[in-house]
């Protein structure tokens, strides 16, 4: 009797374990067709919920369809809450999931709607809107599904130092040019402070050029013209860096793989006769 | 008698077939000088009819030269209608032509003027203008005559995945930045909804910067500056991708494989007469 | 006596010929130090005369220093007139100089000031200004002195077909997008005609974005956003083309010259053992 | 006694020399950990003092926290004064330090605050602000710590001639286009002088497009569209130049020459252990 009870407990335990493993494969896995379908379903749910938040922000829509949007808003909140709880339940290592990057993102994207309940009252609409917008970060989950971006990411990574130096130089230049413009144009022409002048410099140097702040004096316009020409030359540098890195990546990818039959090492040049690792004679490649 | 009649029918049939074949060579073919001249004539007719539509849209011109422009409008409509019918008549496989990409474009570009007849009345001018403008798509036919764009198209095609990922990332970023700006600036400063904020973000990130919507608060301006610098770095990525792909294409074009028949070494320059490794005479390459 | 007279005529003729040859070396030549100094003097004269035209256009300066600027204006006009006449006098083939590109430019840049004399009267100032400005084209002469731009020019030349195709595509797209915007926004929002809408499209697609014409409707803003993203991707293509061509040029320049001691042909690859033209054994290069 | 006095003087001298050498290592050196920590401390002090200048320029902050900011302003001025004097004191060659680039920058960045004392009176605030802003150039000292920018600098240096030619062409084009726009649009539409038109041309050609000056006439808009398309094609050239130079630099860095001691073939990959032509063991490189 005790034995069969222990057996039952064990079986239940195993069944539970089985359920957890089965859920884990569906929710975290991407190898099985069920797991893949779950992920695709999740992407669609995320995209639709983001579209809802965007629609609610339009006054015309909010006034007319506020009720139904409110319902779906909570439907998706419920869905993502259940998903989050299931993820915790079936994670192999719960602690490491909860504090992992995606664990935190999952938590943050569920939170806003619930927080909105606490802050009812006069400023209700304002606050709930702010909290809802934060839910848009849920879209960041999409990054999980972008796996072909490896080459781009590697190119950017290899160029990270040069890009950082570049940004340091741009910021130094913007501060100097901004200060000079602040002195030349002054508050009379809208350049009310150095931060605002730096804002103008960035607007100019990136060639955005809103036109809300424009130099009015001749000297100011001359400095602005200089800022544009110099600034433009500098702002194009990252293009050059990324282009060059990407070109190197793409060329590397086009070199024949040409594997060695002795040591299995591939990546030899097209004109190599011997393996560069073990010195073994390579087979002829076309 | 019956024989000669059958003979006549056969001859007529053959003559008709001959006429169809002859028309087909003129209209669809580009090998014979007549066929080429027909194509060039067609391009000019298309360009002139587009210029007419453009001119009619200018009020000053419409008021003064409306009548004569109306006549030529219908002259070209007639011309393209006859051309379309002839294309159907002389196509080798009529069904496959009608439902091919160019068959549909040919049909759509003929349609508008006729549809304009049906919608007479008060809103006549508005509608006919709209329908006429659609005729501009006829210009797409020009694509037929651009055959040197192979390298460009191949470069873009090889980069299609990376470009798609890039656009996905840009849209995600625009939505997030747009939502943040919507919260920070709010309807008071013109950011009336998230879609409008996303519009502002795209205007900013592509460095267009109309200035119809500009951040007014200090925080908004700081986020805008960040958007520009980050956005700019991202928007230049496709330049890098296309540059790198084009470089690969151009380099490939400059290297002929050109193997040596003595030592098997390949990779000689296109203008090499002797193998650079063993000095053996290379075969002529085109 | 007759003999000595004939001798004198011959000598005078020779002297004249000598003077012409001497002048030709100074004015057209760039090999002798006198010829080079003449060219540098000419560049300075051109630059100063252009600065004068620019200064005269400023009302503040024209009112105060009109007289003295007028004098120098005519001083330089006289100088360039004498230079032009001397060029004709000492040109080896006068006809071919006068109708050469630079001959025509020299003539056109001298003309305006003289034409200004004929058109005195009420509209004097307006006309003379217009004619003066044309003198700025004299600066085009500077092109003569830019000889290091070979690589750039060659890169652009090799890319000319692709660049032309690119412009054709851009113009087709601008016309289509312009027409669509004309229909969507209409004259009420400033899009008064298709040419104006095409102007807006070019302003947008090149990311200039003045903001004098902006879409007001939601559909218009969506199309504008699309125009920016698509347009931007297209407008960066020439960068890619020119980058790739330049990269090919620069790489070619970096390949070791490595000349053959038998046939003198250089430009062999760094790993070549035999001359690719004559098959002769190449010397070892470091 | 005299001996011991001489000894003492010598010892004092040596001690002084020791102190100078020790200070020199701290202030100028970057090899010892103390020297490095001093440099890092200095960078932070520079950044904080720049932030102070920026904050003081904001009226809101100046009114409220003027006193405390004034104190820190003078604290940093004192700090940098002491640092400057110590640099002079411990420099190995004082004269060459004072007149070196960094010596002059150090002097100029200390000066403004002291000069501000002399110019008290009505225009006090204006002047002191101007002088304070000059202190921002102290940030240029940061360049000392950017040593990884070698590749970028070398790429720019190798492209210096081509970049200069490019700027010459841009300026010539801007002057010509500016003059034409001045004539076409004229003072009525804001193009009051050629310099202002050139300013507009630069704003347009760099795709900044403020919109403070826009063409109003149809011809003006057509020329503007042309300016954008041509101008854009030209302005992207430096991107191409820098990209190509960077690509060459990056590729060079990825290929080690690494010659084989058996067959003399070079150009092996950095990770190759055996010659790809003869299979011989390669020497270790670095």
């Amino acid at each position: 009797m005790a034995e069969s009870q222990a057996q039952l407990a064990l079986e239940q335990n195993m069944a539970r374990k089985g359920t957890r493993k089965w859920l884990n494969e569906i929710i975290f896995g991407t190898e099985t067709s069920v797991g893949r379908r779950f992920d695709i379903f999740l992407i669609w749910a995320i995209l639709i919920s983001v579209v809802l938040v965007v629609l609610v922000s339009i006054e015309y829509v909010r006034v007319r369809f506020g009720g139904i949007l409110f319902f779906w808003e909570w439907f998706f909140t419920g869905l993502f809450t259940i998903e989050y709880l299931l993820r915790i339940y079936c994670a192999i290592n719960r602690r490491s999931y909860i504090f992992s990057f995606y664990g935190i993102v999952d938590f943050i994207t569920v939170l806003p709607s619930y927080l909105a309940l606490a802050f009812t009252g006069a400023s209700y609409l304002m606050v709930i809107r702010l909290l809802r917008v934060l839910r848009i970060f849920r879209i960041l989950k999409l990054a999980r599904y972008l796996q072909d971006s490896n080459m781009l990411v590697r190119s950017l990574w290899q160029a990270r130092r040069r890009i950082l130096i570049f940004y340091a130089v741009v910021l130094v230049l913007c501060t100097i040019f901004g200060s000079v413009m602040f002195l030349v144009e002054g508050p009379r022409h809208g350049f009310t402070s150095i931060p605002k002048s730096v804002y103008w410099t960035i607007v100019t140097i990136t060639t955005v050029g809103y036109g809300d702040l424009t130099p009015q004096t001749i000297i100011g316009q001359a400095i602005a013209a200089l800022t544009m020409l110099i600034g433009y030359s500098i702002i194009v540098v990252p293009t050059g860096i990324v282009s060059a890195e990407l070109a190197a990546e793409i060329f590397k990818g086009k070199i024949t793989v040409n594997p060695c039959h002795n040591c299995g090492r591939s990546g030899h040049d097209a004109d190599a006769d011997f393996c560069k690792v073990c010195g073994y004679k390579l087979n002829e490649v076309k």
Side-chain angles (χ1 to χ4, degrees), chain A:
Chain A
M1 195 91 168
E3 202 181 42
S4 72
Q5 237 182 7
Q7 182 100 24
L8 194 75
L10 191 72
E11 265 168 17
Q12 280 179 334
N13 199 15
M14 276 177 74
R16 219 168 46 228
K17 263 197 178 155
T19 312
R20 264 188 71 186
K21 219 192 141 198
W22 175 71
L23 267 170
N24 188 293
E25 261 172 19
I26 291 173
I27 294 180
F28 285 99
T30 51
E31 293 83 28
T32 62
S33 83
V34 186
R36 242 173 290 129
R37 248 177 279 155
F38 176 80
D39 282 352
I40 289 162
F41 168 76
L42 202 63
I43 294 177
W44 280 107
I46 292 165
L47 287 176
I48 291 166
S49 75
V50 166
V51 167
L52 287 184
V53 173
V54 168
L55 284 175
V56 165
S57 80
I58 306 170
E59 207 186 345
Y60 181 91
V61 174
R62 193 172 51 245
V63 169
R64 264 164 204 70
F65 307 101
I68 198 157
L69 289 174
F70 192 74
F71 167 76
W72 283 107
E73 177 70 26
W74 276 103
F75 172 81
F76 281 111
T77 302
L79 205 76
F80 293 132
T81 310
I82 292 163
E83 184 227 330
Y84 179 59
L85 294 176
L86 281 179
R87 274 184 193 271
I88 292 175
Y89 170 68
C90 72
I92 290 157
N93 184 335
R94 278 165 195 173
R95 202 185 183 82
S96 80
Y97 164 69
I98 291 170
F99 295 101
S100 72
F101 175 70
Y102 282 122
I104 291 163
V105 166
D106 289 343
F107 179 70
I108 288 173
T109 55
V110 163
L111 207 63
S113 298
Y114 294 104
L115 280 176
L117 290 176
F119 297 87
T120 45
S123 64
Y124 172 78
L125 277 168
M126 271 304 287
V127 174
I128 203 166
R129 239 189 289 146
L130 187 143
L131 297 170
R132 268 176 189 165
V133 166
L134 291 177
R135 272 188 52 200
I136 247 169
F137 286 100
R138 189 181 290 146
I139 219 170
L140 282 176
K141 277 190 191 171
L142 285 172
R144 239 183 234 167
Y145 307 101
L146 301 167
Q147 247 139 34
D148 267 306
S149 58
N150 277 355
M151 196 190 279
L152 258 180
V153 168
R154 222 183 317 147
S155 297
L156 288 171
W157 183 247
Q158 287 184 349
R160 70 193 177 285
R161 271 190 101 143
R162 262 162 281 158
I163 287 171
L164 273 178
I165 291 168
F166 159 76
Y167 274 117
V169 171
V170 163
L171 281 178
V172 167
L173 274 172
C174 285
T175 315
I176 292 173
F177 270 107
S179 303
V180 170
M181 282 306 278
F182 170 64
L183 281 166
V184 169
E185 292 285 328
R188 260 180 322 127
H189 299 134
F191 292 77
T192 49
S193 66
I194 292 182
K196 196 155 197 184
S197 297
V198 171
Y199 162 71
W200 172 86
T201 313
I202 291 172
V203 168
T204 300
I205 231 168
T206 54
T207 76
V208 171
Y210 285 132
D212 51 349
L213 243 69
T214 52
Q216 307 288 324
T217 63
I218 291 176
I219 301 168
Q221 289 176 344
I223 293 168
L226 201 73
T227 311
M228 284 163 214
L229 286 175
I230 291 179
Y232 189 88
S233 306
I234 286 158
I235 210 84
V236 297
V237 168
T239 321
I241 294 171
V242 174
S243 294
E245 290 289 348
L246 272 170
E249 284 288 324
I250 285 166
F251 283 2
K252 250 199 306 196
K254 290 215 165 134
I255 291 167
T256 40
V257 176
N258 196 4
C260 171
H261 286 252
N262 187 38
C263 69
R265 174 66 190 272
S266 65
H268 302 287
D269 292 344
D271 62 348
D273 291 330
F274 291 89
C275 174
K276 65 183 176 182
V277 175
C278 68
Y280 197 81
K281 187 92 175 66
L282 291 172
N283 278 4
E284 281 306 308
V285 277
K286 204 201 80 63

